[in-house]
Amino acid sequence: MEQVLEVKGLKTYFYTEDGVAKSVDGVDFTLSKGKTLGIVGESGCGKSVTSLSVMRLVSEPAGKIVDGEILFNGDNLLAKTEKEMRDIRGNRISMIFQEPMTSLNPVFTVGNQINEVLKLHQGMTTKEATLKSIEMLKLVGIPLPEKRVHEYPHQLSGGMRQRVMIAMALACNPALLIADEPTTALDVTIQAQILELMKDLKERLGTAIMLVTHDLGVVAEVADEVMVMYAGRVVEHGAVREIFAKPMHPYTQGLLKSIPDISEEVEFLETIEGLVPNIYEMPAGCSFAPRCKHAMDACRERQPALTYDGGHKVRCFLYGDASEGEVG
Amino acid sequence: MSKDVLVEIKNLKVHFPTGDSGLFGRSKQVVKAVDGLDFTIRKGETLGIVGESGCGKSTTGRAMLRLIEPTEGEVLFEGRDIMNLRKGDLRGLRREMQFIFQDPYASLDPRKNVASIIGEAFKAHEKMSAKERNERVQELLGLVGLRPEHVKRYPHEFSGGQRQRIGIARALALKPKFVVCDEPVSALDVSIQAQVVNLMKELQQKLELTYLFISHDLRVVKHISNRVGVMYLGAMVEIADKQDLYAAPRHPYTRALLSAIPSPNPEIRRERILLQGDVPSPVNPPSGCRFRTRCPEATERCAIEIPALKDVGDGHMVACHYR
Ligand SMILES: Nc1ncnc2c1ncn2[C@@H]1O[C@H](COP(=O)(O)OP(=O)(O)OP(=O)(O)O)[C@@H](O)[C@H]1O
Ligand SMILES: Nc1ncnc2c1ncn2[C@@H]1O[C@H](COP(=O)(O)OP(=O)(O)OP(=O)(O)O)[C@@H](O)[C@H]1O
Ligand code: SF4
Ligand SMILES: [Mg+2]
Ligand SMILES: [Mg+2]
């Protein structure tokens, strides 16, 4: 299978007044052509920072990629100059941001904004670009694209703006699409439309997709693989069916159980007690240990490694030798 | 009125002026945020309200407590019409009807510590010594699962889930009978959501509370409610016992809405009804049935006649000509 993205040992830290935030602290994953990787986890666990790191858009100087490799089609992005990155962004790798209104420019028409990308990366003339923009708007299911192309973002509904964002992100037929909570701000009926659209595009264009979301339902619908993050690290990674049928990490198990099940009636929901640790005061050992029902002494002293079990990876001492792993 | 009804809403309307004038500037345009609602809430139950953004859920909740003034209609609380109450009497009513807000970040005054946020309610309503007040605050904190030493802290020192607990403690301070909960867990992480939902259920049993629970999360609403009402563009299109509603939705909109919930089980794939287009503007809602512009079953009659909300059996109410 053709590997589009390979992230190895990525560490992205923020140096702030309160201390060092190890927002992404050793993340590894790969993504193949035409596949969708869902990234889930609690607020603040490092999903967006991982995405921004791949785009090389981490806000400097506070934020810095301190270690690791990001291979895009075998090419290390961390060795690229800013100019080289500008050629890649919006062209070979595109990102859809969480809030569509902040990432569309209010003073330009929708067409202008898509045209800009096409002219920059594909060297099209305005006329060619406009035709292509209309085609893209049609592709993402916007009615009357010939008319909409001349409208401003505020004239569109939230769902339509999100479609425009997708159209713009796909205009140059990128090999990798990073979507950070692309449907969180949308209603379920509109979300359903957008998810259908993303599934369809992945099949038709073979785009590899990194999909960040906090909604496990969304992941189950569209992703092939899931990566669960907790406090800056990957705690579990595997095929969607595997993880939903047989979650291994206690955090993933707790997360799945705490979603109310529509087809079942229970008096009380299962919960994960406690809170995510403060990013500036990470516990020694497994970062989930303070909330984990199964925590053993070793869990409070050593960091479990991400271990394999037939393609399904998990970072937990319940599945491996607790005498291994890093101290502290 | 039957004995077990706590709140009854009749023909509730809330129209907001838009600031834009209509065609030729003759008449002011209005946003028909809530446009003729009828429903009842029974003592001790949780009535869930769902529907897409902008359909009027929050406006309904706020109007019921007169946090905003309704344009028309009646809200009967234990048989008394609260629309006719004067300011002084309204204050008494606020003891019995409370509100929990969506945003745990914005709804607490950042300059006040927990003791004064929660204690404030007593100041306005009860003659109490500082010592008594302090005891009550401690009691409330315990009730919502916070620790005694938390009284001196300020909102920014808490997590989202903890802040929502403070909001709940504040709402419960005066032992209300009825609480409108407007998206109380929407801003929280899944694992924290479950903690707060459990807490709300536990408190309901302990204190015999009645809830109006507003949310766009159809899973959470199913879990916490006894009955569920579905709103579309300022109107109620269906209301029923939750088992009935989720197992056998009748209105075409409810069907589409429920079919759109992404299932967290990859083995379960429901037949999805994809709706076309977007929700129309509440300034100019469609004639007849408001849902007709997106309804897969709409006929000519739907553009002319407004379907009434009618009982199709066992208290299952639907507003559609063809049900
Ligand atoms: N510019 C920054 N300066 C300092 N800390 C930051 C910065 N950006 C992110 N962080 C911290 O890094 C951690 C990871 O943040 P990130 O935005 O990746 O979380 P997330 O998983 O996307 O969460 P959410 O689900 O809330 O979007 C958080 O603790 C956050 O506070
Ligand atoms: N103070 C106001 N002035 C003018 N229009 C308003 C006002 N408050 C609400 N609206 C409008 O009334 C309609 C209903 O709003 P409301 O906040 O009740 O919706 P909602 O169902 O709670 O939506 P959400 O799920 O997004 O919270 C919307 O069209 C909204 O823009
Ligand atoms: S009344 Fe007509 S338009 Fe409205 S829901 Fe029923 S079939 Fe659809
Ligand atoms: Mg994020
Ligand atoms: Mg609302």
Side-chain angles (χ1 to χ4, degrees):
Chain A
M1 228 179 319
E2 208 180 314
Q3 227 163 60
V4 175
L5 183 68
E6 185 170 7
V7 173
K8 293 193 213 168
L10 178 70
K11 294 190 180 182
T12 307
Y13 294 176
F14 289 90
Y15 299 87
T16 71
E17 279 179 14
D18 299 321
V20 182
K22 299 182 175 177
S23 305
V24 173
D25 202 18
V27 163
D28 303 273
F29 64 91
T30 57
L31 181 56
S32 306
K33 185 168 193 278
K35 294 287 175 200
T36 298
L37 171 70
I39 304 182
V40 298
E42 217 119 320
S43 181
C45 71
K47 305 181 295 293
S48 296
V49 173
T50 302
S51 312
L52 293 170
S53 300
V54 174
M55 289 292 275
R56 288 263 315 271
L57 286 175
V58 175
S59 61
E60 293 183 33
K64 202 166 180 312
I65 298 176
V66 296
D67 201 7
E69 278 177 58
I70 299 174
L71 304 177
F72 174 63
N73 289 329
D75 223 5
N76 190 0
L77 293 182
L78 299 184
K80 301 263 178 228
T81 63
E82 177 54 28
K83 185 176 172 303
E84 288 169 324
M85 279 312 296
R86 271 202 297 268
D87 287 339
I88 294 174
R89 280 187 216 119
N91 187 19
R92 309 295 301 133
I93 307 179
S94 284
M95 182 154 173
I96 303 171
F97 296 87
Q98 185 161 355
E99 184 33 71
M101 210 44 198
T102 54
S103 31
L104 286 175
N105 192 329
V107 301
F108 292 111
T109 65
V110 164
N112 269 332
Q113 303 191 47
I114 307 179
N115 288 358
E116 219 35 56
V117 180
L118 290 163
K119 287 199 265 185
L120 179 71
H121 295 300
Q122 317 255 297
M124 287 188 184
T125 63
T126 304
K127 208 166 161 196
E128 289 166 336
T130 305
L131 285 176
K132 176 79 180 176
S133 296
I134 293 171
E135 188 192 317
M136 290 312 297
L137 292 179
K138 194 179 288 167
L139 182 77
V140 298
I142 293 199
L144 305 175
E146 296 84 359
K147 175 169 166 279
R148 293 295 185 187
V149 79
H150 300 299
E151 292 186 344
Y152 291 88
H154 75 265
Q155 292 171 283
L156 308 176
S157 68
M160 272 202 261
R161 269 182 234 139
Q162 200 59 292
R163 282 162 187 267
V164 169
M165 286 294 305
I166 296 178
M168 193 149 79
L170 293 174
C172 301
N173 196 6
L176 173 64
L177 174 68
I178 302 176
D180 191 356
E181 306 268 7
T183 58
T184 303
L186 305 175
D187 282 312
V188 279
T189 62
I190 311 293
Q191 168 171 287
Q193 295 173 356
I194 303 270
L195 295 181
E196 284 304 315
L197 172 69
M198 287 181 55
K199 275 195 264 188
D200 183 50
L201 293 171
K202 164 178 97 171
E203 271 157 35
R204 272 201 285 169
L205 308 174
T207 320
I209 303 176
M210 251 171 86
L211 173 71
V212 173
T213 172
H214 65 277
D215 188 334
L216 291 160
V218 168
V219 168
E221 294 269 337
V222 300
D224 303 292
E225 283 177 37
V226 197
M227 179 164 107
V228 184
M229 290 184 69
Y230 192 82
R233 296 203 177 92
V234 178
V235 295
E236 187 160 5
H237 185 156
V240 164
R241 276 169 199 271
E242 274 279 314
I243 292 207
F244 281 88
K246 196 168 66 87
M248 293 173 79
H249 197 282
Y251 173 65
T252 317
Q253 291 170 350
L255 202 59
L256 283 169
K257 281 196 198 127
S258 56
I259 313 171
D261 186 344
I262 288 255
S263 52
E264 214 184 323
E265 277 304 310
V266 291
E267 180 68 15
F268 289 103
L269 297 170
E270 299 218 22
T271 62
I272 307 174
E273 291 307 317
L275 301 171
V276 187
N278 179 340
I279 190 147
Y280 300 108
E281 294 161 23
M282 281 296 169
C286 170
S287 43
F288 189 61
R291 298 175 78 185
C292 184
K293 278 188 266 190
H294 307 288
M296 308 166 275
D297 288 341
C299 308
R300 295 183 198 92
E301 290 153 15
R302 290 161 191 280
Q303 291 264 356
L306 196 61
T307 53
Y308 278 91
D309 175 14
H312 190 155
K313 292 183 230 172
V314 62
R315 189 190 290 281
C316 172
F317 284 133
L318 294 173
Y319 311 91
D321 190 347
S323 65
E324 287 170 16
E326 278 172 62
V327 177
Chain B
M1 193 168 74
S2 97
K3 250 203 163 149
D4 69 344
V5 170
L6 185 70
V7 189
E8 187 168 7
I9 307 294
K10 291 182 181 170
N11 190 32
L12 184 71
K13 290 188 184 177
V14 184
H15 293 179
F16 295 106
T18 59
D20 300 340
S21 22
L23 213 52
F24 314 119
R26 271 197 215 127
S27 57
K28 281 273 183 204
Q29 291 200 316
V30 294
V31 179
K32 295 171 181 162
V34 173
D35 207 21
L37 288 186
D38 298 275
F39 62 92
T40 55
I41 304 174
R42 300 173 193 151
K43 230 169 248 164
E45 82 166 343
T46 298
L47 175 68
I49 299 283
V50 298
E52 284 170 285
S53 183
C55 70
K57 304 182 294 297
S58 298
T59 305
T60 302
R62 283 162 190 264
M64 285 171 69
L65 266 60
R66 283 185 66 183
L67 295 175
I68 45 181
E69 287 300 324
T71 311
E72 206 180 308
E74 290 171 45
V75 176
L76 306 176
F77 181 76
E78 297 185 314
R80 278 178 301 159
D81 185 357
I82 74 156
M83 293 307 155
N84 297 327
L85 294 182
R86 281 179 313 249
K87 277 262 148 28
D89 300 328
L90 247 184
R91 208 160 58 148
L93 194 85
R94 288 274 152 78
R95 303 187 55 130
E96 320 223 19
M97 303 172 93
Q98 283 286 332
F99 205 93
I100 298 173
F101 295 88
Q102 163 165 12
D103 189 346
Y105 300 92
S107 62
L108 303 175
D109 185 341
R111 292 157 304 179
K112 291 193 171 133
N113 68 16
V114 171
S116 46
I117 287 171
I118 300 176
E120 207 168 26
F122 303 129
K123 274 200 187 141
H125 288 279
E126 278 171 33
K127 286 199 183 64
M128 242 186 223
S129 70
K131 183 162 168 285
E132 275 174 312
R133 201 159 62 221
N134 193 34
E135 276 168 16
R136 283 294 301 283
V137 170
Q138 293 288 357
E139 193 184 311
L140 283 159
L141 283 182
L143 198 63
V144 299
L146 292 173
R147 280 195 291 273
E149 66 265 26
H150 285 147
V151 294
K152 294 240 158 51
R153 300 215 189 137
Y154 290 82
H156 75 265
E157 299 175 71
F158 292 94
S159 69
Q162 288 174 320
R163 281 185 241 212
Q164 203 52 290
R165 287 169 195 262
I166 299 169
I168 294 172
R170 176 177 60 184
L172 298 182
L174 296 168
K175 304 197 168 131
K177 290 182 179 150
F178 176 59
V179 185
V180 173
C181 319
D182 191 1
E183 310 261 10
V185 297
S186 305
L188 307 176
D189 267 320
V190 184
S191 75
I192 309 299
Q193 239 178 40
Q195 294 175 4
V196 175
V197 166
N198 282 353
L199 171 70
M200 292 184 62
K201 262 196 143 174
E202 205 184 296
L203 293 173
Q204 176 170 44
Q205 293 171 359
K206 220 183 266 178
L207 310 174
E208 297 177 343
L209 298 168
T210 302
Y211 289 144
L212 180 76
F213 192 95
I214 297 170
S215 177
H216 63 270
D217 186 328
L218 294 148
R219 291 186 208 123
V220 171
V221 166
K222 161 93 190 315
H223 172 74
I224 202 165
S225 308
N226 301 98
R227 288 187 307 138
V228 175
V230 182
M231 287 183 69
Y232 186 80
L233 211 56
M236 192 72 83
V237 297
E238 184 161 8
I239 183 166
D241 186 82
K242 73 162 160 191
Q243 306 292 2
D244 275 1
L245 190 92
Y246 281 74
R250 307 291 297 267
H251 196 280
Y253 175 64
T254 314
R255 288 187 176 173
L257 193 67
L258 294 178
S259 83
I261 309 173
S263 163
N265 183 346
E267 307 299 331
I268 298 176
R269 280 285 163 270
R270 268 180 309 251
E271 191 57 42
R272 176 155 295 162
I273 306 163
L274 281 183
L275 290 178
Q276 299 303 312
D278 293 301
V279 183
S281 154
V283 176
N284 284 310
S287 63
C289 172
R290 283 157 193 258
F291 184 55
R292 70 174 166 84
T293 53
R294 297 170 80 199
C295 181
E297 299 174 37
T299 64
E300 272 172 38
R301 181 183 171 198
C302 304
I304 301 161
E305 243 179 275
I306 298 177
L309 190 66
K310 56 182 187 289
D311 196 332
V312 294
D314 294 329
H316 192 138
M317 315 275 287
V318 185
C320 170
H321 294 309
Y322 300 102
R323 297 294 185 275

